[in-house]
Amino acid sequence: MLVFALLVVSGMVACFTSGSKKVDFSTEVKPILNKKCITCHGGVKAKGGFSVLFREDALAKTESGKPAIIPGDPDNSEMIRRLTLKDPEERMPYKHEPLSEDEIGILRKWVKQGAKWGDHWAYLPVKQTPVPDEDNSWVRNDVDHFIYEKLDELDMQPAAQTDPYTLLRRVSLDLIGMYPSAKVADQYLKNSDDKGYERLVDSLLASPHFGEKWTSMWLDLSRYADTKGYESDGGRSIWRYRDWLIDAFNADKPYDVFLTEQIAGDLLPNATDAQYIATAFSRNTMTNDEGGTDNEEFRVAAVMDRVNTTWESLLGTTFSCVQCHSHPYDPFRHDEYYKFMAYFNNTRDNDIPAEYPLIREYNDSMKLQMTQLMEWIRTNGSAEQARQLYQFLRTWQPVVYATTADSLKNAIIINKNVALGMRNHSHVRLKHVKLDDAAQVIWNFYSNKAGGRLTFRSDAPDGPMLASVLIEQKDGWRKVSAEMQPHTGTHDVYVIYENPSLPATSEDILGVFEWFGFIPELPAKGSPEYAARKHTYWDLLNAPVTTTPVMMENPDWLRRETHVFERGNRLTLGKEVEPAVPQSLQFAMPANAPKNRMGLARWLTDKRNPLVSRTMVNRLWEQLFGTGIVETLEDMGTQGMLPTHRELLDHLSWKFMHDYQWSIKKVLKEMVMSATYRQDSRLTEPVKEKDPANKFYARGPRVRLSAEQLRDQNLCISGLMSNKMYGKGVMPWQPDGIWLSPYNAARWHNSTGEDQYRRAVYTYWKRTAPYPSMIAFDGVQRVLCTARRINTNTPLQALTTLNDSAYIDMARHFAFRMQEGAGDLAAQIKKGYQLMLYKPIKEDKLKVFEELYQQALKEFKPNPGKTRAMAGGQGEKATPATAALVAVANAMLNLDEVVTKN
């Protein structure tokens, strides 16, 4: 009886526990709502006045005057009733398959338990995750504990470690994107134990080529290109940003600093040139120079692109849809898009062709001149005077862009977006100019007409005179200044052009103006040193230096307001908003953070931010293993893929922030030192049956090389790789006709010398015509941020590596390298295979290549023209034997194990 009573009691407890088990909103309820309900009852639509996007909306009264969900009372909740009706005109979802009994049961139980909402896992803070206690000899570090625990649950076993040759190639391509030096490779192959492997990893992490590889990844995120995009797609000088990235990755700049400088480097105290250049991350947006376009329209488009890029690249979240309506699936409201946009909306860029503001980089001697000049200004004037004059030298800012002039009389905005053109007896208005500290006005213009006079007046065309100067006759753009009468406050400034020597009725444009700057004058006017100092200032102001588009805030007198765009339409303005992050993530905002991009950077890099560390760790994992722990790198939200190893992701994300202090190299080292990473990649039948996509890592990564890795690997194998770093984009071989640039007649000029053999990261990138062979291998246009390249497998890829002249050239030099001191044909092929994969070739493969050689030799012997074409010219190497070996080399470079990372 006692046993029976115990069984009865335990059964009752089990029933009670099972029935009262709390429904998990994120994993059980939210997927049903997203799949079956939110299309009609979410951020885009709220039919019947009912929305299930936010709890307060879901529990609010509907158009019927009653709430659809009554927490704790499913029987009287209209939502539950409508799900269970038989009449198709009333049952929900309307005109779709009804919910299953299980789904209705989950929703009923959820309402019964109070209809509590829950946060999606990715929006919860990263917490320290205990490492599973897996006692297994295979495990090498924390990563393996998590991986082995999952494999054990699935009754799977990890693979053995791969051979040293494969591991050498794999980790080299992953960490530096190319092959290591012969010395580093030989050292490892002679001692490939654990210590030898760690030495190899450390040498790769310390290589200057590390930065080049990881910059290639970041260029997709930052939508880097050497052109502006849109229809005319003119050139842009922004390569200094690419070089900044290389240096940042090589120096292992802490990721929080790395992001802060890119988001708000210009706002750091005494910002350096490099910190300004870092902000070009946001200036990679496109600029539309086409005649007739509205600068404000495309300035706003650029600002929105910065918002969307920040969320997709740094936060792993889709945010762009919120510009038109509240997010259909994630906890972001419509107005929160514009609050976030306000962080970016007050910058100096204005979609004008010259792409101001620019940071002007002086050489060392000019920097010394500038330092001495600023010391003299501070001594003889004020600190504020020195600050403004220094800023103007470095950036030509702040200025009033001539394209923003209005009240045009006898003047035009050229092409409606380029510059201001003034005819005789013309005037224009510059609105709301601060004149408190302005002792001079400087303008950038073009005029080759003698006898012109430019006059500046306050508040009206006949108002108080501010300045007046005669314009010299001279060709070319130049900067001119005029001393201003003292004035205080903010005023409209009228610019008047008159030329008595020319007919008053002339329709000719007599002066073209780009900007007007109202700044202090140098101090100590009349002193013995004044003239020399002013001469130095103007020499520096006009110096032909390298410039890079950067971010820079408007001063208070040029501050922009930010409004909600009703339904995303910039012409339909709603309420004004201030900078803020979404309420659901407000908890990660540091106290007293300023309401500008520096405040935004602090929020991004605060260790309470749930998304930044997860997003980067996930991206690093994807680069090594081919797929992220969350496969959708661009979307960790509720519509993204669930993580395969959530605890591992959080463990690494926590260590990234706390133990490793945001060190990217340390996280990468932990990943590549794991037994998980070192596994053999062969697919066995048991693994193929249980995990063909390798989501649980019972084998090593096996993915096709990226476009950059493939080119760089082949340059290494052929012996052509240039070690030259940095500088303007280069133009490796490309046939004529790819570029069509009717606006500026720009052409692709094939680089010569070692420039044609530089790493892929340095290839000039034109948005409307990217380098074709890289596009064939899934490179992207970089018109918008791309968080994840989708690998494809097309015939065009094989056609590229077999026939593209650049790859034929590499095969040719590979053959020459095989011939050097190798002996007979078999020895040459063996040498080539070892150069490619570090390991000896198997006899059956050797035989295949020998047969290919003989077949090619028969074809080349009677055909001198084909021989010369394949061997590359008229020289001593233009023999049938060499041409045949080139054909063999080309085939070898196209082996599956060469185009794939095994």
Side-chain angles (χ1 to χ4, degrees):
M1 286 296 292
L2 179 60
V3 172
F4 177 75
L6 287 172
L7 288 172
V8 170
V9 171
S10 63
M12 290 172 66
V13 170
C15 290
F16 177 78
T17 304
S18 173
S20 62
K21 181 184 176 184
K22 188 174 181 180
V23 175
D24 185 275
F25 176 83
S26 296
T27 61
E28 296 180 86
V29 177
K30 185 68 171 173
I32 300 173
L33 299 180
N34 281 359
K35 188 176 181 181
K36 302 293 180 68
C37 310
I38 215 161
T39 303
C40 297
H41 303 285
V44 184
K45 300 177 185 176
K47 288 190 174 180
F50 178 53
S51 170
V52 294
L53 184 56
F54 299 98
R55 188 172 193 264
E56 57 268 34
D57 296 341
L59 303 186
K61 291 181 180 179
T62 65
E63 289 179 1
S64 69
K66 298 179 180 178
I69 298 175
I70 302 174
D73 190 0
D75 292 334
N76 288 305
S77 292
E78 180 68 8
M79 183 183 86
I80 301 300
R81 187 185 78 84
R82 295 290 289 273
L83 293 174
T84 57
L85 293 173
K86 302 301 181 184
D87 184 351
E89 288 299 313
E90 284 198 86
R91 178 187 46 76
M92 294 292 145
Y94 183 59
K95 292 187 177 179
H96 287 81
E97 287 293 315
L99 270 61
S100 68
E101 291 296 324
D102 287 343
E103 290 171 326
I104 293 172
I106 289 171
L107 294 177
R108 178 182 287 277
K109 188 187 294 185
W110 169 65
V111 173
K112 180 72 173 176
Q113 293 175 354
K116 299 292 186 183
W117 245 246
D119 292 314
H120 181 61
W121 69 269
Y123 304 134
L124 295 171
V126 177
K127 294 183 179 178
Q128 193 168 15
T129 308
V131 179
D133 185 16
E134 293 293 333
D135 185 16
N136 186 279
S137 59
W138 175 79
V139 170
R140 292 181 182 274
N141 65 16
D142 288 353
V143 170
D144 301 324
H145 283 287
F146 289 96
I147 297 298
Y148 190 84
E149 180 183 53
K150 184 78 73 172
L151 290 175
D152 196 36
E153 289 174 8
L154 298 169
D155 196 24
M156 297 173 69
Q157 288 297 315
Q161 182 169 313
T162 192
D163 62 78
Y165 314 107
T166 300
L167 192 54
L168 169 62
R169 177 172 175 266
R170 178 192 297 172
V171 74
S172 298
L173 288 169
D174 277 340
L175 292 183
I176 64 173
M178 58 185 281
Y179 285 5
S181 67
K183 181 180 178 181
V184 169
D186 290 344
Q187 184 181 30
Y188 169 67
L189 292 175
K190 286 175 183 175
N191 186 2
S192 58
D193 61 9
D194 284 352
K195 289 184 178 178
Y197 178 65
E198 186 170 9
R199 279 195 297 271
L200 169 65
V201 169
D202 287 340
S203 69
L204 295 173
L205 291 172
S207 167
H209 301 305
F210 173 87
E212 294 173 321
K213 191 276 176 195
W214 292 94
T215 292
S216 293
M217 172 200 75
W218 199 263
L219 295 185
D220 282 2
L221 298 172
S222 59
R223 64 263 187 258
Y224 172 89
D226 294 290
T227 60
K228 301 177 186 179
Y230 291 117
E231 177 199 32
S232 52
D233 202 21
R236 168 183 285 166
S237 176
I238 202 166
W239 52 271
R240 290 282 197 190
Y241 170 69
R242 182 245 292 137
D243 291 355
W244 179 88
L245 286 172
I246 294 171
D247 285 338
F249 280 115
N250 278 337
D252 198 20
K253 191 183 287 283
Y255 191 60
D256 58 340
V257 178
F258 180 77
L259 294 188
T260 297
E261 293 187 356
Q262 291 186 80
I263 295 295
D266 59 305
L267 299 177
L268 290 166
N270 303 312
T272 64
D273 287 355
Q275 288 167 335
Y276 266 103
I277 288 169
T279 67
F281 171 75
S282 292
R283 291 302 308 278
N284 280 314
T285 45
M286 297 192 293
T287 302
N288 196 341
D289 293 346
E290 183 187 357
T293 56
D294 181 348
N295 281 348
E296 178 62 10
E297 176 185 355
F298 288 96
R299 184 197 70 81
V300 169
V303 172
M304 287 183 157
D305 176 57
R306 289 164 196 164
V307 172
N308 302 340
T309 295
T310 301
W311 278 88
E312 187 166 337
S313 63
L314 310 185
L315 296 159
T317 301
T318 58
F319 201 63
S320 56
C321 62
V322 190
Q323 69 193 53
C324 295
H325 48 72
S326 293
H327 201 295
Y329 306 106
D330 293 319
F332 309 125
R333 294 185 180 275
H334 178 46
D335 64 344
E336 290 178 334
Y337 184 93
Y338 296 94
K339 291 176 181 178
F340 196 89
M341 177 176 148
Y343 284 115
F344 293 96
N345 195 38
N346 195 39
T347 54
R348 294 293 303 126
D349 56 292
N350 210 43
D351 197 68
I352 53 181
E355 303 214 283
Y356 300 119
L358 309 166
I359 188 68
R360 307 176 67 244
E361 291 185 86
Y362 293 104
N363 60 30
D364 290 343
S365 63
M366 290 177 182
K367 284 180 180 176
L368 179 60
Q369 283 182 300
M370 188 159 60
T371 300
Q372 293 171 343
L373 176 62
M374 290 304 128
E375 287 176 357
W376 180 83
I377 293 173
R378 276 189 289 270
T379 301
N380 292 276
S382 68
E384 177 59 19
Q385 194 175 13
R387 185 195 68 79
Q388 290 189 47
L389 289 167
Y390 177 64
Q391 179 174 278
F392 202 80
L393 279 181
R394 295 178 74 198
T395 63
W396 293 336
Q397 293 293 337
V399 294
V400 179
Y401 299 124
T403 53
T404 65
D406 65 1
S407 300
L408 307 180
K409 179 185 177 182
N410 214 18
I412 62 168
I413 304 299
I414 297 171
N415 278 350
K416 294 188 177 180
N417 66 356
V418 174
L420 169 67
M422 299 187 75
R423 302 184 178 94
N424 204 359
H425 299 292
S426 61
H427 70 246
V428 302
R429 180 178 67 164
L430 310 178
K431 292 182 291 185
H432 310 312
V433 180
K434 184 182 178 186
L435 299 177
D436 293 284
D437 302 320
Q440 63 173 323
V441 55
I442 300 177
W443 60 94
N444 193 43
F445 81 120
Y446 174 89
S447 177
N448 62 359
K449 303 295 183 183
R453 175 174 287 276
L454 205 64
T455 303
F456 297 83
R457 293 185 179 274
S458 175
D459 297 322
D462 58 354
M465 183 180 292
L466 298 173
S468 184
V469 66
L470 283 171
I471 296 174
E472 296 179 11
Q473 183 177 9
K474 194 173 182 180
D475 285 330
W477 286 90
R478 64 191 193 274
K479 295 165 190 66
V480 174
S481 72
E483 185 178 342
M484 287 183 61
Q485 299 296 322
H487 229 72
T488 58
T490 299
H491 298 265
D492 291 344
V493 173
Y494 282 81
V495 184
I496 300 113
Y497 178 87
E498 295 173 301
N499 195 322
S501 66
L502 296 173
T505 57
S506 172
E507 288 296 309
D508 292 342
I509 299 295
L510 304 180
V512 179
F513 298 81
E514 201 172 42
W515 49 255
F516 301 89
F518 298 84
I519 65 171
E521 175 61 283
L522 271 66
K525 188 174 183 181
S527 69
E529 291 184 86
Y530 174 80
R533 297 295 184 181
K534 185 163 186 176
H535 187 271
T536 299
Y537 189 87
W538 276 86
D539 281 349
L540 291 170
L541 192 66
N542 288 306
V545 296
T546 300
T547 60
T548 303
V550 295
M551 295 287 274
M552 190 173 178
E553 288 293 282
N554 278 322
D556 289 342
W557 58 278
L558 287 171
R559 178 186 172 274
R560 291 193 186 95
E561 294 180 352
T562 302
H563 291 262
V564 173
F565 297 170
E566 299 292 348
R567 299 192 178 188
N569 182 353
R570 74 177 186 90
L571 301 178
T572 308
L573 298 183
K575 65 180 180 181
E576 184 180 356
V577 292
E578 293 294 319
V581 300
Q583 186 63 39
S584 58
L585 299 173
Q586 183 68 41
F587 66 88
M589 178 61 76
N592 302 318
K595 289 192 172 185
N596 58 19
R597 283 179 289 112
M598 183 54 69
L600 174 61
R602 290 181 187 173
W603 173 76
L604 286 168
T605 56
D606 191 284
K607 290 176 181 177
R608 294 170 297 172
N609 190 306
L611 291 166
V612 169
S613 60
R614 284 182 176 125
T615 298
M616 188 56 177
V617 166
N618 193 45
R619 177 164 288 114
L620 298 178
W621 185 275
E622 183 264 351
Q623 289 286 304
L624 300 180
F625 291 91
T627 305
I629 295 173
V630 178
E631 184 176 341
T632 48
L633 268 65
E634 69 282 1
D635 187 8
M636 285 190 179
T638 59
Q639 289 299 95
M641 300 288 282
L642 289 172
T644 55
H645 299 77
R646 177 179 162 186
E647 294 80 9
L648 172 59
L649 178 59
D650 277 7
H651 172 76
L652 289 173
S653 300
W654 172 271
K655 289 186 78 172
F656 182 35
M657 293 188 289
H658 295 86
D659 297 351
Y660 293 153
Q661 295 299 303
W662 297 100
S663 167
I664 291 171
K665 287 187 177 182
K666 288 180 180 177
V667 174
L668 285 171
K669 182 173 180 179
E670 177 160 358
M671 290 178 181
V672 300
M673 290 301 296
S674 68
T676 305
Y677 178 80
R678 299 194 227 179
Q679 292 177 100
D680 190 286
S681 63
R682 278 174 287 198
L683 182 61
T684 62
E685 282 302 319
V687 172
K688 182 179 179 181
E689 185 177 329
K690 290 187 176 182
D691 185 20
N694 201 29
K695 290 181 180 292
F696 302 107
Y697 308 106
R699 58 185 174 91
R702 187 178 187 280
V703 292
R704 203 212 53 232
L705 300 184
S706 70
E708 293 87 351
Q709 286 173 325
L710 190 64
R711 173 179 167 81
D712 292 348
Q713 171 193 253
N714 286 16
L715 285 172
C716 290
I717 292 169
S718 63
L720 290 171
M721 174 64 82
S722 165
N723 285 319
K724 183 177 176 183
M725 295 179 66
Y726 309 123
K728 296 179 180 179
V730 295
M731 298 181 177
W733 184 89
Q734 177 176 289
D736 284 335
I738 302 294
W739 277 24
L740 294 173
S741 304
Y743 290 93
N744 56 17
R747 297 192 59 174
W748 182 276
H749 298 285
N750 289 328
S751 296
T752 58
E754 70 173 312
D755 279 351
Q756 65 185 306
Y757 300 125
R758 294 189 65 191
R759 293 199 67 172
V761 70
Y762 299 111
T763 300
Y764 190 96
W765 205 257
K766 185 178 176 73
R767 284 186 163 112
T768 53
Y771 196 58
S773 65
M774 291 200 208
I775 291 297
F777 282 92
D778 306 321
V780 296
Q781 278 188 286
R782 299 187 186 145
V783 169
L784 299 170
C785 167
T786 303
R788 175 172 58 126
R789 292 186 187 178
I790 306 299
N791 278 355
T792 61
N793 187 6
T794 70
L796 184 59
Q797 293 164 355
L799 288 169
T800 297
T801 49
L802 284 167
N803 298 289
D804 185 295
S805 291
Y807 281 95
I808 294 293
D809 186 38
M810 293 180 213
R812 187 178 294 128
H813 284 84
F814 181 33
F816 299 162
R817 199 177 177 199
M818 290 160 65
Q819 286 177 326
E820 293 172 3
D824 62 11
L825 174 64
Q828 292 174 14
I829 295 173
K830 288 178 181 178
K831 177 184 177 182
Y833 195 83
Q834 199 136 9
L835 287 170
M836 289 195 310
L837 299 170
Y838 295 108
K839 55 187 174 185
I841 190 171
K842 294 181 179 178
E843 286 300 317
D844 56 343
K845 281 187 179 176
L846 175 61
K847 185 177 179 181
V848 169
F849 288 122
E850 286 177 328
E851 290 175 356
L852 174 61
Y853 175 87
Q854 295 302 334
Q855 183 180 341
L857 189 63
K858 287 180 183 178
E859 187 169 336
F860 286 121
K861 275 184 175 179
N863 198 324
K866 277 189 176 181
T867 297
R868 286 192 297 272
M870 182 60 82
Q874 301 278 358
E876 60 182 23
K877 294 187 180 294
T879 66
T882 298
L885 192 61
V886 172
V888 171
N890 191 26
M892 292 172 71
L893 290 172
N894 280 274
L895 287 173
D896 180 69
E897 58 261 47
V898 177
V899 299
T900 304
K901 183 185 72 174
N902 291 300

